[in-house]
Amino acid sequence: MEKKPYITEAIIGNSNMLVSLTKDGQAQRITWPNIDFPQHLNLFYTGIRGIEGSIKTFFLHENVWRHQQAYINGTNILETVSTLGEVGLSIRQHDFVVPDQDVYIRHFTFRNISDYPQNLDFVIYSDFMIDEKRRYQTVMFDEETDSFVHYHREYGFAIGSDTNVKKYQCGATFKETNDGYLPGKRIANRSSAGIEYGPIHIPANGEHSITLYIAAGAGSKGALDSLKQVKRSSFDELYNQTVKYWHDYLDQANPVDFKDERGKHIYERSLLMFHLMNNKNGGFIAAPEVDEEYAYSGGYAYCWGRDAAYTATAYARAGYHERVRHFFRFASTLQEDNGSFEHRHYLDGHLAPSWGLQIDETGSILWGMHQYYLLTNDDSFIEEMWPTVEKGADFLTKFIDPVTHLPLPSMDIWEKREAEHFYSAAAVYGGLKGAAEFAAQLGFSDKAQRYIKTAEAMKKTILQIGYNETSGSFFRAFHLRLDEPAYQNKKAQGKDVAMEYDSKGYPVYRQIRDDVIDICLLGLQVPFDMIDANDPKMKQTAATIDRLCRSKIIGGIERFPGDIYISGDPWIIATLWLAIYYARINQQLEAKKLYNWVIDHATELGLLAEQIDKVTGRPAWVLPLTWSHAMFILTVLEFKEKGIEV
C-alpha cells in the first residue's frame, strides 16, 4: 500500500466509516465497517484535463494548485477550495459521509473565473487495496449503473456519479490515467481504475458541478445496492440532510457561554470529532490511524480503556449521556475473566496488539463509570454495570503489593516502563472509591468497606513515603524494572536497587524509587482526587513539573524531562492537565495562559494534535488525538465551574 502521510489534516465519517483527508482535499484512508479496521484505500486522485494549450492532467494534489480548507460551520462536512489562478479555474469540493448510509459523497463545483468558456474533463484515478491486501483485488465496470466496483471477499466499494462516464479502463495505471489512455477494459484482477467524466462545458464566469458517490457494501452486490439507494436522492437532499444531522447533534450538548469565538469553535469541533471517533458499537479509538507500519509508534486506531474513560467523562459532562452509556456497555464486553481490562482492543472486541497489562486501564474504566453515575444519578446504570464493577474491583483489591500496598508492577501510562506507578495507583484509587459507592448503594457494605480500605492504604503509602524532598515532587513509581546494564549503572551510582527472580528463574532488576518528574503525577489529584489539590506536597509537585517540563522555545508542557518520543515535544494533554490543576488551586492567570496556548496551537480546522513541535509550533504527531479533545472539553467545563472566563 502507498505510504500514507503521518499528519491527517481532516476527518469525516458517520461512526461506521471514517475518512482521512489531507490539506489538498485528497482522501488518504477509508476505514469501514468499523472506524479502526480494515482500511481499504490506496490512492484516490482527482484532477482535470482540457486546459487550453495543455495536454497535461492537473491533479488536485499537485503543487500547482492553491488550497483553502474549512469545515462547514457546525458540521463534519469538509470544504476544500483549489484554485489554478493562471488558467482561471477554481474547484470547490465538499466531502462528507451520509449519516445513515455508508456512502462517501464528493461534490465538485468547477468555477470558471476567466472571461472565456472552458471545456474540461474530470479525471479520477481510483486504487482500492481492500482489506489492506495487495492480492486478490478486482475492479469492474457495471454498465447498468455506469459505475465501477472494487471488491474483495466481503467488502465492496462502488464508485458512481450523477454524470455519465466518458472513458475508462479497469486496471489502468496512474500513468495511463494521467496520459488519458483509457481504452475501455471492463474488468481486471487489479486494484486500480482510470475514469474520465465529461466534457464539462463551463461558460465564462459560470459553474458546473459533479457529484461522486463512493458506496460501501457487502461484496460487489452490496456495494452496487448501496450506490443505487443513495442515488435516489439528489446531492442537495443529501447535503441538507447531513447538515441537519450535525446541527441536531450539536444541539444535544449542554450550553456553554463562550466569550472567545476561537475557543467555542474548538469546543464544538471536539464534540463533532468525538462522534467520528465513536464507533457504532460504542467504542472510542484514540485517533485515526497514521502509522500502520508501526514505524514510529505502536499504532493509534485502537480502543484504550484509559483514553476512552477520559473521553467518555468529557462526553458525558458535555451532555451526551446515552452515547456514553453505550460505550460502557461495549467496555463491559472487553473485561477479562479475572476482572481486569487488558491494554487495548479492536472495536470488534478482540484483543489488539499489546505490550502488557496496564492496571490504570481497569481503574480508569471503573472511575469513568462512577463519574457517569455522578452526572446522571441513574440507579439503573449501577444495577446494569454492577457485575462489571464488582469483578473489576475484586481484581484490583487482589492486585496489590502486600508491602507497599500499591498495585503490583504493570506498564505505565506512557507504556514504556514496568513499576508500581503512582499514577496507576491514583487511577486504581479512583476506580475503587467509585466501586465502593456502587457497592454501598446496592447493599454490599462488606465489599464497599474492602474497596475503601484498599484505596486508603494506597493513599497512605504515597503520602507517608512517596514524596521526594530532594526534588520537590512525589516519586513517579516504586520498583521500576531495569535491564541489566541500567541496573549495573544505577548500582554504581549508589542508587537503591534490587534484584529478584521470577517464577521461571529469570533475574528481574529494579530501582526501588523512580524519581523522574512527570506530568502524570498530576493524576494524583486530576482527575482521581487521591491527594487534595491544596496539599503542600501536591502544590510543590505541580510547581516542579511546571519548572522542569515547560518547553523552552514555544512553551507548552512536555511529559517529562528527557522524553524522546517523536522529538520530546509539548503535549496538548500535558498542558491542559496543568491548566486544570491550576484552576483548582485558584491560580487562574496561569491556568488561562496554558489554555490559551492550546487554542493558539490548534489547527485552522480546530483540531488538536497529540504533540506540538517544540521549534516550529506545528502538529508533530497524530492529528486529531481524541484524548487531547477530551482534555480540552474537561478544561473548559472546569473553568466554567471555577468562574474562569472562556
Side-chain angles (χ1 to χ4, degrees):
M1 188 164 287
E2 182 80 6
K3 184 179 178 181
K4 301 291 182 180
Y6 290 117
I7 298 295
T8 293
E9 299 287 342
I11 54 172
I12 57 174
N14 68 355
S15 292
N16 295 341
M17 180 182 286
L18 181 65
V19 182
S20 301
L21 303 98
T22 45
K23 62 183 177 182
D24 51 18
Q26 297 306 298
Q28 291 290 336
R29 296 172 172 91
I30 298 177
T31 312
W32 176 84
N34 292 306
I35 61 174
D36 63 333
F37 182 84
Q39 197 285 112
H40 303 285
L41 188 63
N42 188 37
L43 295 170
F44 199 96
Y45 289 153
T46 56
I48 52 101
R49 183 186 297 119
I51 296 294
E52 187 173 346
S54 175
I55 61 171
K56 175 179 170 55
T57 301
F58 291 83
F59 283 98
L60 292 175
H61 67 282
E62 295 173 338
N63 291 332
V64 294
W65 298 86
R66 187 178 75 253
H67 304 284
Q68 292 180 299
Q69 195 172 68
Y71 283 106
I72 301 300
N73 189 42
T75 77
N76 279 314
I77 300 173
L78 185 69
E79 179 181 85
T80 308
V81 178
S82 304
T83 304
L84 200 57
E86 59 269 29
V87 300
L89 183 66
S90 174
I91 302 175
R92 176 175 282 104
Q93 172 183 334
H94 290 108
D95 289 271
F96 61 91
V97 178
V98 182
D100 61 352
Q101 299 179 66
D102 293 339
V103 181
Y104 171 20
I105 304 294
R106 313 199 74 185
H107 183 74
F108 299 82
T109 300
F110 304 89
R111 183 164 182 257
N112 184 356
I113 51 179
S114 70
D115 56 4
Y116 53 87
Q118 297 199 50
N119 296 306
L120 306 174
D121 293 316
F122 184 45
V123 181
I124 296 171
Y125 177 69
S126 173
D127 188 7
F128 277 75
M129 288 187 176
I130 294 176
D131 199 19
E132 304 184 11
K133 302 288 195 306
R134 291 187 178 275
R135 298 173 177 166
Y136 319 122
Q137 303 289 326
T138 301
V139 58
M140 67 179 184
F141 175 64
D142 180 70
E143 193 158 356
E144 178 192 350
T145 57
D146 202 43
S147 67
F148 298 83
V149 185
H150 296 269
Y151 68 92
H152 169 61
R153 295 179 62 88
E154 69 268 40
Y155 306 111
F157 292 86
I159 302 168
S161 177
D162 58 359
T163 301
N164 290 333
V165 172
K166 176 183 176 183
K167 294 166 59 179
Y168 69 89
Q169 173 77 352
C170 291
T173 65
F174 176 68
K175 183 179 186 305
E176 289 169 339
T177 306
N178 188 38
D179 293 343
Y181 179 71
L182 304 172
K185 186 170 184 176
R186 291 177 175 270
I187 190 166
N189 292 145
R190 299 279 297 276
S191 62
S192 59
I195 312 166
E196 197 171 294
Y197 297 96
I200 303 168
H201 303 288
I202 317 175
N205 299 306
E207 291 185 347
H208 184 94
S209 295
I210 288 180
T211 304
L212 292 181
Y213 310 89
I214 303 175
S220 58
K221 184 179 184 303
L224 284 169
D225 288 345
S226 179
L227 179 66
K228 292 173 186 175
Q229 180 182 348
V230 77
K231 289 184 73 174
R232 293 178 188 136
S233 302
S234 69
F235 167 75
D236 287 343
E237 289 172 330
L238 295 168
Y239 179 87
N240 292 333
Q241 168 193 338
T242 303
V243 169
K244 184 179 186 304
Y245 179 87
W246 292 118
H247 286 177
D248 288 348
Y249 166 79
L250 282 181
D251 286 345
Q252 298 169 37
N254 296 330
V256 177
D257 181 25
F258 282 88
K259 304 299 182 186
D260 174 54
E261 282 300 314
R262 179 66 170 160
K264 179 181 179 182
H265 173 65
I266 297 170
Y267 188 87
E268 289 186 350
R269 182 55 46 199
S270 298
L271 295 177
L272 288 162
M273 179 264 191
F274 275 179
H275 191 305
L276 302 185
M277 298 294 98
N278 187 206
N279 202 57
K280 59 191 174 187
N281 66 354
F284 291 99
I285 56 171
E289 190 55 72
V290 296
D291 192 14
E292 294 92 344
E293 301 297 327
Y294 292 0
Y296 297 104
S297 72
Y300 277 76
Y302 304 98
C303 183
W304 274 264
R306 168 179 54 250
D307 297 41
Y310 279 89
T311 301
T313 300
Y315 215 9
R317 289 181 182 173
Y320 294 87
H321 296 166
E322 281 307 307
R323 288 183 170 274
V324 172
R325 187 164 187 161
H326 192 38
F327 161 70
F328 283 123
R329 286 172 176 148
F330 168 73
S332 295
T333 68
L334 307 178
Q335 191 171 32
E336 297 293 313
D337 290 342
N338 66 3
S340 69
F341 288 88
E342 280 288 353
H343 173 194
R344 59 185 187 174
H345 293 81
Y346 291 109
L347 294 177
D348 62 7
H350 289 101
L351 185 64
S354 176
W355 40 91
L357 179 69
Q358 298 168 26
I359 197 60
D360 68 292
E361 308 243 19
T362 305
S364 296
I365 290 173
L366 300 192
W367 168 82
M369 289 177 172
H370 182 235
Q371 294 300 302
Y372 178 87
Y373 175 71
L374 292 177
L375 285 167
T376 63
N377 292 311
D378 185 349
D379 290 338
S380 71
F381 179 74
I382 291 182
E383 294 173 3
E384 181 181 1
M385 291 297 144
W386 173 244
T388 300
V389 172
E390 181 183 28
K391 281 177 64 177
D394 285 351
F395 172 79
L396 292 175
T397 60
K398 298 170 187 172
F399 195 79
I400 296 292
D401 182 330
V403 176
T404 65
H405 305 295
L406 299 179
L408 289 165
S410 69
M411 297 299 287
D412 73 329
I413 180 177
W414 310 129
E415 304 175 332
K416 292 294 184 184
R417 291 159 287 272
E418 180 191 284
E420 295 180 5
H421 301 285
F422 284 19
Y423 173 86
S424 300
V428 170
Y429 173 92
L432 286 173
K433 294 287 271 191
E437 181 168 341
F438 278 30
Q441 290 270 26
L442 294 172
F444 300 112
S445 57
D446 289 348
K447 282 186 178 290
Q449 291 172 14
R450 176 153 54 93
Y451 300 158
I452 291 172
K453 181 179 179 182
T454 304
E456 291 299 329
M458 285 187 276
K459 177 178 178 178
K460 182 178 180 181
T461 292
I462 288 174
L463 282 173
Q464 289 188 346
I465 62 172
Y467 188 74
N468 185 352
E469 296 285 353
T470 302
S471 66
S473 170
F474 287 104
F475 290 105
R476 184 164 65 173
F478 287 161
H479 299 159
L480 174 67
R481 186 164 187 163
L482 307 172
D483 59 21
E484 185 176 6
Y487 166 77
Q488 296 296 349
N489 181 264
K490 297 286 186 183
K491 188 175 182 181
Q493 294 176 26
K495 295 283 187 179
D496 198 1
V497 294
M499 185 186 75
E500 59 195 35
Y501 293 92
D502 69 12
S503 60
K504 294 296 183 182
Y506 291 102
V508 177
Y509 306 99
R510 296 196 184 275
Q511 181 178 338
I512 302 303
R513 296 173 184 84
D514 176 7
D515 56 3
V516 172
I517 309 302
D518 193 311
I519 189 67
C520 73
L521 287 169
L522 291 183
L524 294 169
Q525 210 297 304
V526 181
F528 301 117
D529 290 316
M530 175 187 265
I531 311 298
D532 186 86
N534 287 296
D535 185 293
K537 293 177 180 177
M538 193 69 240
K539 293 178 79 170
Q540 184 57 53
T541 296
T544 303
I545 288 170
D546 196 342
R547 177 170 55 86
L548 296 180
C549 297
R550 192 174 289 254
S551 198
K552 301 297 185 289
I553 298 175
I554 64 163
I557 306 299
E558 299 168 9
R559 295 189 298 176
F560 49 86
D563 188 4
I564 60 171
Y565 183 48
I566 307 304
S567 52
D569 301 302
W571 283 46
I572 297 293
I573 63 168
T575 306
L576 292 172
W577 215 335
L578 189 56
I580 292 173
Y581 178 74
Y582 278 148
R584 290 189 176 186
I585 61 171
N586 204 32
Q587 291 191 24
Q588 295 191 1
L589 182 60
E590 290 304 313
K592 194 67 183 293
K593 285 179 181 178
L594 293 168
Y595 169 79
N596 287 337
W597 183 91
V598 168
I599 287 178
D600 290 343
H601 290 86
T603 70
E604 291 180 5
L605 297 181
L607 297 174
L608 299 173
E610 177 189 77
Q611 303 179 42
I612 301 299
D613 188 286
K614 60 186 175 185
V615 176
T616 68
R618 297 290 300 160
W621 190 239
V622 184
L623 175 74
L625 184 75
T626 313
W627 193 357
S628 294
H629 284 273
M631 289 295 278
F632 186 82
I633 288 175
L634 292 172
T635 303
V636 167
L637 298 179
E638 186 83 28
F639 279 18
K640 297 300 290 184
E641 190 176 299
K642 298 294 187 294
I644 302 174
E645 186 177 279
V646 292

